[in-house]
C-alpha cells in the first residue's frame, strides 16, 4: 500500500507532497521550511530517498536542494532546467523506484515552464496519482506567462497539449495532485474544488473542454498582474537557495523603531486590521499575519529593503518569519513584540484611523457637502465585475508607487472583504492622508444603497 501526505501552505496557495510505501518516500515540490516535510516522514516512519521538482518555481523559494542535502536523498530536477548545482537530471519517461512495487514515472508537460515535468506515482505498474505541479490543476491550468513574454503564447499552446497528454495517457481514476491552484498567483484560475481525478478533469477543465485556439485566447485574455517578487524566485531557485534561518531576530526598542522609520525602512505591524486601526506606530504598515502576508508584503516592498516586524506575540512573529522565508525575505532587520504603547518613544502616542461599513459610506456620500474620495484597491478582474460609481481604482499592489494619484481629500478605501483595504489604509495613513478603512464585503455595497456599475 502507498500513502500520500499533503503539506498545505495556505498563505501562498500551494500544496506539497510526501508519497511512499512502508520504508521509503519521495518529496514533491517541497517548501523552503523543510522541517514540515521531515516531520511528515518521521510520523510515517519512512526515509526520504528522493526529492523531485516539477519545475523551477516562480512563486516561492524551494526547499528541495536543502532537503536533499539534509536527508541524503537524490535531488531530481527536469533535465532542461538551467541550474547551478549538482542534481539528477530527469527526462520524459524516466522511472524512479520509490519502494517495493512503487515507482514514479516522469512525464514532460511543458506549458507553465518550458521544462515542466509531471510525476506519476505507479503501484505495481498502474498509475494511481499524478503530481501535476503547475500543469493540469483542478479545473484550470498554471499560467504560461511567468518565464518570458515572447514565449507566452507558445507555452499556452504547450499547456493545452500537456493537459491532453495527461488525460490521454492516465486512467480516469488517477488522482490529480497539483502544486498550484489553491490561491497561488501561479494559477490561471481558482481551483474548482479540493480534489480531483483525471476523469473529473475531462468534464470540468477548460484545457480539456476547448480547442487549442479558443483555450489560448481565453487564457491570455484572463491573465492578470504578476506579483513583483516572482522576478526573484526563479533566479534564487536556479542558483540553489541557502538554508533557512528561523531564529528570532534582534529586538528593536522604541528608539530603534523610530530611527528605522526615519531612514525610510519598512516597519510592518502584523496584528489584525481592527487592532491596527485602533492604534499603531505612525508610519508603520499593516500586513496581517493571518492574511496573505508573504504574497502582498513581498509583492509591494522594494526588493531588499530592510523590514522590521511588530507582533503581538513571539508565536505570531515566528509564524510570519516562516511565511516570509518562503518568498525570499530571509531575515527581518529587527523585531518587537507587545503593543503599540511599547513601540513608541516616551511622550509619543499611537495613532489611529476610522473603520466603517459600506452603509456608512453610503450615508457619508448622501450628506457630505464635499464627497470623500472612494478608492477601490481590488484587482482589475474584480472591478470589471462591478464597482462603486465615481470610485478611483488603484490595485493595492500598485498603491505604494501610485499614492500621489489618489485625489485630495478624505479617502474611504475598500476591497472585496477588508484585508487589502487595511493594507491600503495603512499606506495612506503613513503618507499623512485622512483615511477610513471600509471593512466590509463588497457584495453588500449595493444593498447598502451605493450605486454599483459594471464595466461596459
Amino acid at each position: 500500500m502507498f500513502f500520500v501526505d499533503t503539506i498545505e501552505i495556505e498563505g501562498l496557495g500551494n500544496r506539497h507532497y510526501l508519497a511512499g510505501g512502508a520504508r521509503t518516500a519521495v518529496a514533491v515540490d517541497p517548501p523552503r521550511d523543510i522541517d514540515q516535510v521531515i516531520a511528515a516522514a518521521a510520523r510515517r516512519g519512512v526515509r526520504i530517498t528522493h526529492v523531485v521538482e516539477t519545475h523551477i518555481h516562480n512563486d516561492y523559494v524551494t526547499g528541495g536542494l536543502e532537503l536533499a542535502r539534509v536527508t541524503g536523498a537524490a535531488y531530481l530536477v527536469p533535465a532542461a532546467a538551467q541550474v547551478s548545482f549538482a542534481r539528477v537530471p530527469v527526462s520524459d519517461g524516466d522511472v524512479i523506484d520509490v519502494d517495493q512495487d512503487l515507482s514514479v514515472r516522469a512525464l514532460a508537460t511543458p506549458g507553465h515552464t518550458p521544462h515542466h515535468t509531471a510525476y506519476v506515482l505507479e503501484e505495481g505498474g498502474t498509475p494511481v496519482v499524478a503530481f501535476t505541479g503547475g500543469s493540469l490543476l483542478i479545473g484550470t491550468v498554471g499560467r504560461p506567462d511567468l518565464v518570458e513574454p515572447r514565449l507566452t503564447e507558445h507555452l499556452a499552446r504547450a499547456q493545452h497539449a500537456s493537459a491532453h497528454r495527461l488525460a490521454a495517457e492516465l486512467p480516469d481514476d488517477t488522482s490529480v495532485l497539483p502544486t498550484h491552484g489553491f490561491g497561488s498567483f501561479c494559477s490561471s484560475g481558482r481551483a474548482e474544488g479540493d480534489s480531483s481525478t483525471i476523469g473529473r478533469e475531462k468534464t470540468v477543465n477548460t484545457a480539456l473542454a476547448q480547442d487549442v485556439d479558443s483555450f489560448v485566447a481565453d487564457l491570455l485574455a484572463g491573465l492578470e498582474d504578476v506579483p513583483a517578487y516572482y522576478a526573484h524566485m526563479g533566479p534564487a531557485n536556479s542558483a540553489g537557495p541557502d538554508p533557512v534561518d528561523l531564529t528570532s531576530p534582534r529586538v528593536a526598542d522604541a528608539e530603534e523603531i523610530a530611527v528605522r522609520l526615519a531612514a525610510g525602512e519598512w516597519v510592518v505591524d502584523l496584528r489584525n486590521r481592527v487592532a491596527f486601526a485602533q492604534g499603531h506606530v505612525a508610519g508603520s504598515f499593516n500586513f496581517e499575519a493571518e492574511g496573505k502576508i508573504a504574497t502582498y508584503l513581498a509583492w509591494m516592498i522594494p526588493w531588499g529593503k530592510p523590514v522590521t516586524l511588530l507582533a503581538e506575540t513571539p508565536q505570531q512573529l515566528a509564524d510570519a518569519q516562516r511565511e516570509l522565508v518562503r518568498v525570499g525575505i530571509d531575515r527581518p532587520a529587527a523585531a518587537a513584540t507587545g503593543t503599540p504603547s511599547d513601540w513608541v518613544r516616551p511622550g509619543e502616542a499611537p495613532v489611529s484611523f476610522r473603520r466603517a461599513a459600506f452603509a456608512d459610506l453610503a450615508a457619508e456620500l448622501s450628506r457630505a457637502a464635499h464627497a470623500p474620495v472612494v478608492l477601490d484597491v481590488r484587482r482589475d478582474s474584480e472591478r470589471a465585475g462591478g464597482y462603486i460609481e465615481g470610485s478611483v481604482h488603484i490595485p493595492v499592489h500598485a498603491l505604494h508607487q501610485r499614492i500621489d494619484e489618489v485625489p485630495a481629500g478624505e479617502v474611504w478605501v475598500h476591497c472585496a472583504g477588508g484585508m487589502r483595504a487595511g493594507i491600503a489604509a495603512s499606506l495612506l495613513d503613513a503618507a499623512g492622508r485622512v483615511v477610513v478603512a471600509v471593512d466590509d464585503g463588497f457584495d453588500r455595497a449595493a444593498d447598502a444603497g451605493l450605486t454599483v456599475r459594471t464595466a461596459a
Side-chain angles (χ1 to χ4, degrees):
M1 292 294 292
F2 71 93
F3 72 86
V4 177
D5 289 339
T6 301
I7 298 167
E8 185 158 11
I9 306 299
E10 186 174 352
L12 292 178
N14 287 325
R15 291 180 179 176
H16 316 269
Y17 304 97
L18 182 73
R23 298 181 306 277
T24 54
V26 56
V28 181
D29 288 344
R32 195 177 184 197
D33 44 330
I34 61 172
D35 55 333
Q36 296 187 88
V37 186
I38 293 171
R43 286 191 295 269
R44 288 284 185 178
V46 296
R47 180 169 61 91
I48 299 173
T49 56
H50 297 82
V51 178
V52 302
E53 301 281 9
T54 57
H55 60 294
I56 301 300
H57 303 282
N58 289 292
D59 65 329
Y60 70 92
V61 180
T62 181
L65 183 62
E66 179 67 1
L67 181 62
R69 185 189 69 80
V70 168
T71 62
Y75 189 28
L76 280 59
V77 178
Q82 300 298 310
V83 298
S84 302
F85 49 82
R87 91 290 194 202
V88 178
V90 178
S91 299
D92 185 47
D94 287 353
V95 176
I96 303 98
D97 291 330
V98 176
D99 204 304
Q100 185 176 1
D101 292 328
L102 200 64
S103 61
V104 166
R105 177 164 53 95
L107 283 181
T109 48
H112 186 49
T113 66
H115 59 264
H116 192 285
T117 300
Y119 297 91
V120 180
L121 186 69
E122 298 181 338
E123 186 177 41
T126 300
V128 288
V129 174
F131 297 106
T132 55
S135 182
L136 186 70
L137 310 186
I138 299 180
T140 184
V141 294
R143 57 192 299 171
D145 61 328
L146 302 180
V147 177
E148 158 62 57
R150 290 171 295 182
L151 294 178
T152 297
E153 182 174 348
H154 168 75
L155 289 177
R157 292 181 179 277
Q159 190 73 296
H160 184 271
S162 292
H164 280 263
R165 181 188 184 188
L166 290 166
E169 295 189 15
L170 299 178
D172 283 355
D173 60 356
T174 306
S175 295
V176 174
L177 297 183
T179 301
H180 304 314
F182 308 96
S184 167
F185 284 92
C186 266
S187 172
S188 63
R190 181 74 186 188
E192 297 293 336
D194 195 56
S195 62
S196 193
T197 62
I198 289 293
R200 180 179 181 274
E201 290 308 302
K202 288 179 179 179
T203 66
V204 302
N205 198 294
T206 54
L208 300 175
Q210 293 180 297
D211 65 85
V212 63
D213 290 333
S214 299
F215 167 78
V216 170
D218 290 349
L219 179 63
L220 299 186
L223 294 174
E224 296 195 83
D225 289 349
V226 176
Y229 72 92
Y230 277 25
H232 305 279
M233 300 297 96
N237 289 324
S238 296
D242 293 327
V244 299
D245 179 1
L246 293 175
T247 58
S248 299
R250 61 184 303 276
V251 177
D253 59 16
E255 183 63 34
E256 181 176 347
I257 291 170
V259 168
R260 290 187 177 278
L261 281 168
E265 296 182 12
W266 279 37
V267 174
V268 171
D269 191 324
L270 301 169
R271 296 174 303 140
N272 70 66
R273 58 186 181 268
V274 176
F276 183 87
Q278 291 172 343
H280 55 271
V281 178
S284 62
F285 302 145
N286 181 216
F287 290 82
E288 292 181 301
E290 293 78 13
K292 295 175 74 70
I293 177 176
T295 295
Y296 283 105
L297 179 55
W299 195 338
M300 296 169 67
I301 190 170
W303 198 252
K305 182 176 281 291
V307 59
T308 295
L309 301 178
L310 307 179
E312 286 181 301
T313 65
Q315 187 60 55
Q316 186 180 64
L317 174 61
D319 291 345
Q321 277 186 263
R322 182 177 288 270
E323 290 269 352
L324 293 175
V325 298
R326 294 170 180 156
V327 292
I329 301 178
D330 283 9
R331 294 293 296 167
T337 58
T339 65
S341 60
D342 302 315
W343 305 330
V344 295
R345 293 176 294 191
E348 297 178 346
V351 297
S352 62
F353 54 74
R354 290 172 57 198
R355 294 172 53 252
F358 279 113
D360 301 312
L361 175 57
E364 180 72 13
L365 291 172
S366 68
R367 66 171 176 262
H370 300 285
V373 177
V374 180
L375 177 62
D376 180 351
V377 296
R378 297 172 302 154
R379 297 190 302 276
D380 291 346
S381 62
E382 295 172 287
R383 186 169 173 88
Y387 61 92
I388 295 171
E389 185 178 48
S391 61
V392 176
H393 180 227
I394 303 176
V396 69
H397 61 264
L399 181 60
H400 186 63
Q401 296 178 319
R402 298 174 56 190
I403 206 160
D404 290 343
E405 297 178 27
V406 180
E410 184 177 81
V411 183
W412 289 58
V413 58
H414 80 86
C415 60
M419 182 195 75
R420 288 171 292 173
I423 295 173
S426 74
L427 297 177
L428 290 160
D429 177 73
R433 300 296 300 269
V434 177
V435 63
V436 180
V438 179
D439 197 349
D440 201 356
F442 187 75
D443 56 356
R444 289 189 281 272
D447 290 341
L450 294 163
T451 301
V452 175
R453 303 292 188 191
T454 55

